[in-house]
Structures are given as structure tokens and as C-alpha cells.
Amino acid sequence: MRNLGARLVDVKPGMTEIRVGYREDLTQQHGYFHGGVSATIADTACGYAAYTLTAADATVLTVEFKINMLAPALGEELIARARVVRSGRTLTVCTADVFGRKGEAETHCATMVATIMSLAGKSDGKMK
Amino acid sequence: MRNLGARLVDVKPGMTEIRVGYREDLTQQHGYFHGGVSATIADTACGYAAYTLTAADATVLTVEFKINMLAPALGEELIARARVVRSGRTLTVCTADVFGRKGEAETHCATMVATIMSLAGKSDGKMK
Amino acid sequence: MRNLGARLVDVKPGMTEIRVGYREDLTQQHGYFHGGVSATIADTACGYAAYTLTAADATVLTVEFKINMLAPALGEELIARARVVRSGRTLTVCTADVFGRKGEAETHCATMVATIMSLAGKSDGKMK
Amino acid sequence: MRNLGARLVDVKPGMTEIRVGYREDLTQQHGYFHGGVSATIADTACGYAAYTLTAADATVLTVEFKINMLAPALGEELIARARVVRSGRTLTVCTADVFGRKGEAETHCATMVATIMSLAGKSDGKMK
């Protein structure tokens, strides 16, 4: 996340938003943001969303995620918005949608569903 | 990919290998490689594997992928090995496995299945 | 679908609903609807949702889907509601949510994201 | 499973095979086995494979699975072969491949990756 220059810009219980600005070294061969950038910020947004609903002394780990690319990830910045779909004691299911923003306009460019695991008694929380 | 310092170290028809060395800014809160790094190199390895079997004037785009995290992504470097499972005219299905290497020992830390789309007549191929 | 006794109860452009009534032979070892039933009706609902937005002479095929199980699939009937997230010329991405209904109450028991392919010039449409 | 007439034909530690014979009511609009049948037998094969490696008093539940359709599911019978990729205390990751058999020839028609959860102290095991 530091590597991408991504910022956690919003955190509410069960919801988060992460943004990353355009940088040429984050693009793939067509000049779009690399799919790995969309995946990374969406995964991280899901992890944080799950984390807002876990016990204070727990940590979270991604079990798996799937991402469908819907449109080229273009724009001044890429925005991942995640929310918890189901919060369980051990497993939490989250969705995240990724948007490319140009000025005021946002284009929906990817959608993710992720499974996050909570591990009790391993305090944690630094964003990297 | 440039951003991660990843290297395409092997390319055969329908198979590729990508490696990325340890760097602290690629880790998450527990000191493992971030899941986004595993996803990025596995996705890229799948895209290249598909690309080796497409027409010379085609380009490839990721339609979707799913990654399951199997073990912490630890080690001096992370290795993604991809192979084509089914190559079609429009869609190619690939799998990639990600390993953390410490000295001679490798740990299987993630597995991906990806759908890659070929678009004819859009020559391409720069690695980013 | 015939095999399950499932019924397509609602079809609008880009949206469908499929229902299947409880039958003991559709349950797994704990008495819930088998995950395969949830997957089958959600997949079919996604296929029909995509089909409502394709050319009249096209057919649809499932490329892939992923389903996350959120809660036991219990109740008098199981309901899958699908909608198109992105409709493309070749590929359409749909989501479906599956609910178990007991009387008036519905429980969200699974969520799917599916990729559907349109093949032009192969007229089709019988429900099975 | 009973509903499909599926049979668990092989069980070894970490590996299973399930077969289902052709029946017209298991097909979709093109005469292939419905994708839901492939998904159901692959999911069940994964669950059983995981179950072979869990404690005797545990039960298993599917957390999620993804299936990629590779080729039409045609033939006299459909075969799902599953194996455990990683067995953990709580979560087990399995893959399954689905083949359509005509005489001696098998065609690889789908591939699945599934996450299975073990719940201790809930003895179980009837096949349905």
C-alpha cells in the first residue's frame, strides 16, 4: 500500500474507501492502472472493512478473493469502496467495487468478493 | 510490475515464471509480502502464459481471477508459475501458483485461476 | 433446472428471479439445501439476466462463476435474484444473491459473481 | 447428490472421485450437462476430500468455490476428481477437475477451487 501511495480516506463500521493517484509506474501495457493495483486496493479495503467489525485484539487475513475486471482502469485516481456483506466470528465476506475517477466522473472498473479471516488475540492494525 | 521490481524469468509456450525480490515496502502488517503482490505477479504470469499461445497481432486482457491464500508469503523472493489450462480463440484459462523461496526451500503460498481474453489485431507486448 | 423443480418467476431487462421449493432430495447432510442447488439457480438466474440484454439471435454460456456461502440455505423455498453489472458485446458480468424464505422472512445465504458469454447467431432460449 | 444419482466411486486420504450418469433432466438448453451439475459434483468431491483429512468428530461446510467452464460437459457420464491442496485446522483448500467421459475418452470440461471449513465436534458424514 505504501508502495502504491494508496490512502485510506474513509472508514465507517463495515465500510471503507481507499484511493490511489495515477502514476505511470502503476500502469500496464495499455496505459491503464495495472489489474494488480485494482486488486491490491480492493483487497486492502475489504480487509479494513472486516477489521472494523472484529474484536479489538484480533487481526485479519485474506483467505481468498475474486475480482472481475469490468472496464479499463483509467483516470486521475482509482477508488476502492468496500463493505461487509456478512460478518461472522471467524469469517467475514466483503465486496469491493473499484472506480476510475476523471474529474467528477467515475467509471466502475472492477468488482471483488473476498473472504477475510479473523484471528483473535493478535493485536494489529498498521496500514502498509 | 516495474513498480514491484518483478522479472519475467522464464517463458515457454503456455508457461511462464515471474519473480520479485523481498522489499519492505511490498509487505503488509505482519511482514509478509502483501497479498496484492502475489495477486499481481500471478495475474501477470497468467497473462503472459496466455499471450504465448495467441496470434502475433493479438493483445491480452484479464477478464477475472480468483486467488486463494494458502500460507504466509514469506522469503527472499516470491515466485509465480503460470500455465495455460485451456486455450480458446477468445478466452484462455490459466492457473498460477505462488511460492515463497528461502534459500533452496519453496513454500506454496497462493493459487490462482484466471480468465484471459485475446483481442485480435492490437499488437502489444511491453512488460510493465 | 427441471430436475430441481425450479421456476423462473420474474424477468425484466437485466434482472431475473428463480425459485425452487424445498424437497428432501435437494438437501445435504445437515438438512439444508445443497450448495449445488444454490449454485445452480444462481448460475441460471445470471444466465437469463444476461440473455435479456443480448441480441435476439444469440445464445449464452457460463464462462465461470464464484459463489460465497453466507448462511445455511434453509426454508420453504430458495430464491435467486440476479442482475447484470456490466453488459458487453461478448462478455456480461452478473451478480446473484440467494435467499432462504420462511414465511415472510428471507435470509441472505449466498452471493455469486458470474461471467456469461454471448454467442451470436445461435438462437436459443429453452429453459431446462 | 441423491437427486442427481451421483456416486462417490473413490475415496483416498485427500482425494475423491464422484460420477454421475447422463440423464436428460440434468442437461441445459444445448443438451450438455447443466453447469450446476458440474458445480454440484465438484463441490461435493471437494467437501469429501477435505473430510478425509479432518478429525473424526468434525463436519465440513463449503465456504466458497469458483468454477471455470472449459468445454461443453458432454458424455455418458460426468466425473469430478478432487484433491486437497492445503489442509489447515479450520480451512482446507481443494481443487476439483470435471471430465465428460465418452467410452474411453475424457474431456476436461471444468476446474474448481474451493474453500472448505471444518467444524469440530459435529459428527457427520452421510452422503446426500
Side-chain angles (χ1 to χ4, degrees), chain A residues 64-66 68-71 85-86 93 95 97 108 111-115, chain C residues 64-66 68-71 85-86 93 95 97 108 111-115:
Chain A
E64 59 82 29
F65 66 76
K66 183 204 177 200
N68 281 70
M69 306 302 180
L70 305 174
V85 174
R86 180 194 175 268
V93 177
T95 59
D97 290 287
H108 191 186
T111 191
M112 176 182 284
V113 180
T115 306
Chain C
E64 59 81 29
F65 66 77
K66 183 204 176 198
N68 282 69
M69 306 302 180
L70 305 175
V85 175
R86 182 195 174 266
V93 177
T95 59
D97 290 287
H108 191 187
T111 192
M112 175 182 285
V113 180
T115 306

Side-chain angles (χ1 to χ4, degrees), chain D residues 49-91:
Chain D
Y51 187 64
T52 63
L53 302 185
T54 60
D57 68 341
T59 187
V60 293
L61 283 174
T62 298
V63 171
E64 59 83 28
F65 66 77
K66 183 203 176 198
I67 187 164
N68 281 70
M69 306 302 180
L70 306 174
L74 278 168
E76 298 150 36
E77 66 179 4
L78 211 55
I79 307 170
R81 297 192 180 102
R83 67 180 183 84
V84 171
V85 175
R86 181 193 174 268
S87 177
R89 197 168 49 88
T90 308
L91 298 179

Side-chain angles (χ1 to χ4, degrees), chain A residues 48-112:
Chain A
Y48 271 89
Y51 186 65
T52 62
L53 302 185
T54 60
D57 68 341
T59 187
V60 293
L61 283 174
T62 299
V63 171
E64 59 82 29
F65 66 76
K66 183 204 177 200
I67 187 164
N68 281 70
M69 306 302 180
L70 305 174
L74 277 169
E76 297 150 37
E77 66 179 6
L78 212 55
I79 306 170
R81 296 191 180 102
R83 68 181 183 84
V84 171
V85 174
R86 180 194 175 268
S87 176
R89 197 168 48 88
T90 309
L91 298 180
T92 296
V93 177
C94 300
T95 59
D97 290 287
V98 181
F99 302 86
R101 185 185 64 73
K102 280 189 197 175
E104 299 292 302
E106 292 186 1
T107 302
H108 191 186
C109 51
T111 191
M112 176 182 284

Side-chain angles (χ1 to χ4, degrees), chain B residues 11-16 48-53 82-84:
Chain B
V11 183
K12 296 191 188 82
M15 301 184 73
T16 59
Y48 271 89
Y51 187 66
T52 62
L53 302 185
R83 68 180 183 86
V84 171

Side-chain angles (χ1 to χ4, degrees), chain B residues 64 66 68 70 86 113 115, chain D residues 64 66 68 70 86 115:
Chain B
E64 59 82 29
K66 183 205 178 198
N68 281 69
L70 306 174
R86 180 195 174 269
V113 180
T115 306
Chain D
E64 59 83 28
K66 183 203 176 198
N68 281 70
L70 306 174
R86 181 193 174 268
T115 305

Side-chain angles (χ1 to χ4, degrees), chain A residues 28-45:
Chain A
Q28 38 79 287
Q29 78 272 31
H30 306 100
Y32 314 148
F33 280 95
H34 196 286
V37 178
S38 295
T40 301
I41 65 171
D43 172 28
T44 307

